[in-house]
Amino acid sequence: MSESSGVGSAASVLADLRDIIPASRLLTDPSQLATYECDGLAAYRVTPALVVLADSADEVAATVTACARHHVPFVARGSGTGLSGGALPHADGVLIVTSRLRTIHRVRPEDQRAVVDTGVINLQVTKESSPQGYYFAPDPSSQQICSIGGNIAENSGGAHCLKYGFTSNHVLALDLVTPQGDQVTLGTEAPDAPGYDLVGAFVGSEGTLGIATSATVRLTRLPEEVRTVLAGFHTTDQAGEATSAIIAAGIVPAAIEIMDALAIEAAEKAVNCGYPEGAGAVLVVELDGPTLEVEHEFREVHRLCHEAGTFEFRVATDPAERAEIWRGRKSAFAAVGRISPDYIVQDGVVPRTSLSQVLHRMGEISAEHGVRVANVFHAGDGNLHPLVLFDAAEDGATERAEQVSGMILDLCIEHGGSITGEHGVGADKAKHMPKMFTADDLDTMQLLRCAFDPASVANPGKIYPTPRLCGERPRIRQGGHPLTGDGVEVF
């Protein structure tokens, strides 16, 4: 069904829910609805017709069932920390908030598993499991407030995903509500279950395939030794050279992060993190594992950083010292508000070997357009987080910032990278998808969406620039299927 035709009324959904969900959790007052008009990407704002504060999986299912019955679009929202507009509401639709689903059902150290509701805060999983010697490895910078459900929707990453992988590597099974309102389970707790990887398809689908209500996640053993290094450099090129040298030496740190001078300035103003004075860039490297291994890797990192030109080298060996080093990096996104009234956060990805070249060109783009860009990035896997700074009150400033932001994503694609590494496509980057994928690629992706959501009511308008209508016939292809010429039978 098209977004623009046949959309039912949220008032009909509200009528269906009045006997199921208390009125205090069915929000229709404009002042209440305004609270939910955007996620962490405040540049896009849409007021939903109805907000439902679900208290259980059954309430989520009841709401989705009502939406399906009346052909009303719905959008799921957890903590609302997303940075791509993935939880941007639909003006004629229902926003289903899952932040009240916060039960940690089980933590099982014997098989390194935890079963949690998707409204549970990311860091809380680690706090609950650490007394038994485990933690939850994916750690977005917003981990103190972001929810597991949002992490699943966007396949979120974090500083430690270089070594341990993204959210998709740590989710084994999901309880979810389909776009028709059915409650189903995908996946198993087995490490290598047979059949199609539907969990893998769902993680990162940005709410277009349904709403997860509970997840079985993999826990990671706390390392024997952790050592965190902060190295100050005069330039980002030097910090990048050290990064390349560390990876080339066969070392896979738990995390390896770079912040440039502008990002450091913001962090200092926000949290007084005490990074090396006069640094054009800082490199944060965290090593973990068996003590002997960490000691060997530390000696190599120390040598390679000095060869790359570090002028200050600090080491943290206890939790308090490590937290102090990480404080500036973890606060970087919010800290930029201290030096700019408005900013756009991007998360393009490039091969590590292209980092220096891409950063240099980004500097040129910034200068050419008179738009400042602060850089924070997961250097180990080439995941850039350029923060494009502007003042929306200045005429034309927003348009220039958006232009620069788009040019940075184009630059990532030119170098064989991607338009997103962990923030998702959402509403913000849908227009860039045709730059990465052909029309046939996008159509094939949407066939999967249509299999889950033939009525197109689950988070419509996200990811794809021109959503495929699930009831329409595919584009007419001239001649036979290209695979038939290769002797492949096409069903």
Side-chain angles (χ1 to χ4, degrees):
M1 174 173 294
S2 168
E3 272 189 85
S4 58
S5 64
V7 175
S9 167
S12 301
V13 175
L14 178 62
D16 284 3
L17 297 178
R18 286 198 186 280
D19 294 332
I20 301 172
I21 299 174
S24 61
R25 293 194 276 109
L26 299 172
L27 309 185
T28 57
D29 183 88
S31 62
Q32 294 176 312
L33 298 177
T35 302
Y36 299 94
E37 65 184 5
C38 69
D39 57 12
L41 184 66
Y44 298 97
R45 296 175 183 268
V46 174
T47 302
L50 169 67
V51 171
V52 177
L53 306 180
D55 208 29
S56 65
D58 287 343
E59 290 187 354
V60 173
T63 305
V64 172
T65 298
C67 289
R69 180 184 301 121
H70 298 290
H71 304 292
V72 173
F74 65 85
V75 177
R77 174 190 170 109
S79 295
T81 60
L83 292 169
S84 65
L88 188 71
H90 192 290
D92 299 315
V94 178
L95 186 69
I96 304 173
V97 180
T98 60
S99 58
R100 296 171 64 93
L101 279 63
R102 287 200 177 184
T103 300
I104 295 181
H105 296 279
R106 292 181 295 282
V107 174
R108 301 200 308 265
E110 64 275 11
D111 60 0
Q112 297 180 255
R113 306 283 188 267
V115 181
V116 304
D117 283 348
T118 50
V120 169
I121 299 303
N122 178 291
L123 188 58
Q124 193 61 35
V125 182
T126 288
K127 288 181 176 179
E128 291 291 325
S129 55
S130 59
Q132 289 106 335
Y134 291 87
Y135 72 109
F136 187 58
D139 61 337
S141 293
S142 58
Q143 69 174 150
Q144 295 186 35
I145 51 173
C146 66
S147 65
I148 293 296
N151 296 165
I152 290 168
E154 306 295 350
N155 191 21
S156 300
H160 292 85
C161 289
L162 170 63
K163 184 173 184 177
Y164 294 105
F166 286 70
T167 298
S168 58
N169 301 109
H170 301 269
V171 177
L172 294 163
L174 293 168
D175 290 332
L176 60 92
V177 176
T178 71
Q180 296 75 42
D182 299 321
Q183 296 189 58
V184 302
T185 298
L186 301 183
T188 71
E189 296 184 25
D192 189 18
Y196 294 115
D197 182 13
L198 295 179
V199 171
F202 191 91
V203 176
S205 62
E206 303 190 31
T208 62
L209 305 184
I211 302 176
T213 57
S214 177
T216 300
V217 299
R218 178 181 287 111
L219 300 175
T220 301
R221 167 74 71 176
L222 287 168
E224 181 181 5
E225 173 84 6
V226 180
R227 200 170 298 189
T228 306
V229 165
L230 176 70
F233 293 89
H234 293 295
T235 68
T236 53
D237 282 350
Q238 290 177 319
E241 181 184 337
T243 298
S244 297
I246 289 167
I247 300 297
I251 299 170
V252 182
I256 183 163
E257 305 280 305
I258 293 177
M259 295 172 62
D260 71 5
L262 199 52
I264 296 168
E265 177 190 343
E268 292 290 354
K269 289 183 177 180
V271 298
N272 192 29
C273 50
Y275 284 170
E277 189 173 347
V282 293
L283 179 67
V284 177
V285 183
E286 187 154 282
L287 306 167
D288 69 6
T291 300
L292 290 177
E293 179 182 300
V294 169
E295 180 60 40
H296 167 72
E297 291 179 344
F298 169 74
R299 289 195 297 268
E300 284 295 288
V301 168
H302 182 271
R303 177 179 65 83
L304 294 169
C305 283
H306 278 85
E307 288 179 358
T310 183
F311 66 88
E312 187 169 336
F313 190 87
R314 304 177 190 172
V315 186
T317 57
D318 65 48
E321 291 176 348
R322 290 199 300 274
E324 194 65 20
I325 285 179
W326 278 110
R327 192 154 60 100
R329 169 60 188 90
K330 290 285 188 178
S331 69
F333 289 178
V336 170
R338 295 296 186 100
I339 62 172
S340 178
D342 302 285
Y343 58 94
I344 298 171
V345 181
Q346 281 299 0
D347 74 319
V349 183
V350 297
R352 281 192 300 264
T353 51
S354 299
L355 269 176
S356 179
Q357 188 177 357
V358 169
L359 288 171
H360 180 75
R361 178 57 188 146
M362 281 170 56
E364 292 179 340
I365 291 172
S366 172
E368 290 166 4
H369 292 80
V371 176
R372 294 186 299 165
V373 178
N375 284 293
V376 180
F377 48 100
H378 306 315
D381 53 9
N383 191 178
L384 307 175
H385 289 310
L387 300 138
V388 183
L389 315 183
F390 67 101
D391 183 352
E394 179 186 333
D395 286 345
T398 302
E399 291 74 17
R400 288 197 304 275
E402 290 177 345
Q403 182 183 9
V404 167
S405 179
M407 292 178 72
I408 289 172
L409 294 181
D410 291 344
L411 186 62
C412 292
I413 295 171
E414 289 169 17
H415 285 265
S418 168
I419 60 174
T420 180
E422 55 181 332
H423 294 174
V425 177
D428 184 41
K429 300 176 188 173
K431 60 183 175 290
H432 296 285
M433 288 287 278
K435 299 175 184 177
M436 279 194 69
F437 301 103
T438 67
D440 283 344
D441 291 335
L442 294 172
D443 206 41
T444 300
M445 292 179 197
Q446 293 191 76
L447 287 172
L448 175 64
R449 177 181 66 85
C450 290
F452 277 77
D453 180 26
S456 300
V457 291
N459 208 9
K462 308 296 169 55
I463 305 178
Y464 305 105
T466 52
R468 184 183 193 279
L469 306 183
C470 297
E472 71 182 0
R473 297 179 63 185
R475 288 186 302 277
I476 298 174
R477 184 186 298 277
Q478 299 297 321
H481 191 285
L483 292 180
T484 58
D486 296 327
V488 178
E489 185 173 3
V490 180
F491 296 92

